[in-house]
Amino acid sequence: MQYFNGTDEEAIYSVMRQLKNNNDWIELNKAYGDRTYYDPTSFTYVFGKPINMVKGLQLELDTNEKKKVNTILAQRGITYRI
């Protein structure tokens, strides 16, 4: 997810399709950790703020893209949603 360079939604869908269970989701979240997010809609964007993967997905994806991710997760039997 890169605000300035554009988010590659297909890459996100691809990663989600590789998850096999809830434990995979948890491990993916751990591996992602907290990353600095620069939100140009905020006056403090130059400083960035630490966010986790779920928050990043919520900020970067539109409603239809979130639905697609959640559908992929449901199809894989994963109970987590963004």
Side-chain angles (χ1 to χ4, degrees):
M1 293 177 283
Q2 299 177 10
Y3 190 87
F4 293 112
N5 295 328
T7 298
D8 185 348
E9 293 85 4
E10 292 303 322
I12 292 169
Y13 305 147
S14 175
V15 169
M16 296 302 160
R17 286 185 192 104
Q18 293 178 48
L19 302 178
K20 295 179 180 133
N21 52 46
N22 284 334
N23 288 335
D24 285 352
W25 171 261
I26 292 167
E27 290 302 316
L28 179 62
N29 275 296
K30 278 190 215 175
Y32 187 92
D34 284 344
R35 299 191 183 181
T36 303
Y37 182 78
Y38 298 95
D39 181 358
T41 63
S42 168
F43 71 94
T44 61
Y45 81 94
V46 294
F47 303 112
K49 62 182 175 182
I51 62 169
N52 63 25
M53 184 184 74
V54 172
K55 184 66 175 172
L57 290 169
Q58 291 170 343
L59 289 168
E60 287 295 308
L61 300 178
D62 67 26
T63 301
N64 289 330
E65 293 162 344
K66 290 175 194 171
K67 284 181 186 176
K68 187 166 182 174
V69 168
N70 287 333
T71 297
I72 293 167
L73 294 174
Q75 290 171 341
R76 312 288 304 155
I78 296 167
T79 57
Y80 295 96
R81 301 291 180 266
I82 60 167

